[in-house]
Amino acid sequence: MSHLITVAVLLLALACYVADLTGPGMVLFFVGAALEIALWLRAVQAPRRAPARLLARIAPRR
């Protein structure tokens, strides 16, 4: 769903460029780029877990 929003924003930016509205086109382009960067950062980041809990699950109990 998030990629569809990014594509829609970038298509609107292209439509602004075609209509010779460079100001709104630049704003929409940078908004689309920021959305795409945020999506990639969220996809690449490892889940945040407490290391102690993770080690407790791996280590066998005595």
Side-chain angles (χ1 to χ4, degrees):
M1 181 65 179
S2 301
H3 286 292
L4 292 177
I5 293 170
T6 304
V7 170
V9 169
L10 291 176
L11 287 175
L12 285 172
L14 286 173
C16 286
Y17 282 128
V18 170
D20 202 25
L21 300 170
T22 56
M26 287 292 285
V27 171
L28 287 170
F29 176 77
F30 285 118
V31 167
L35 287 172
E36 192 66 25
I37 290 170
L39 289 172
W40 276 103
L41 286 177
R42 194 171 25 165
V44 172
Q45 283 181 346
R48 295 182 182 186
R49 295 183 182 162
R53 285 190 224 157
L54 182 62
L55 290 176
R57 279 189 243 148
I58 294 172
R61 294 188 181 205
R62 296 179 186 182

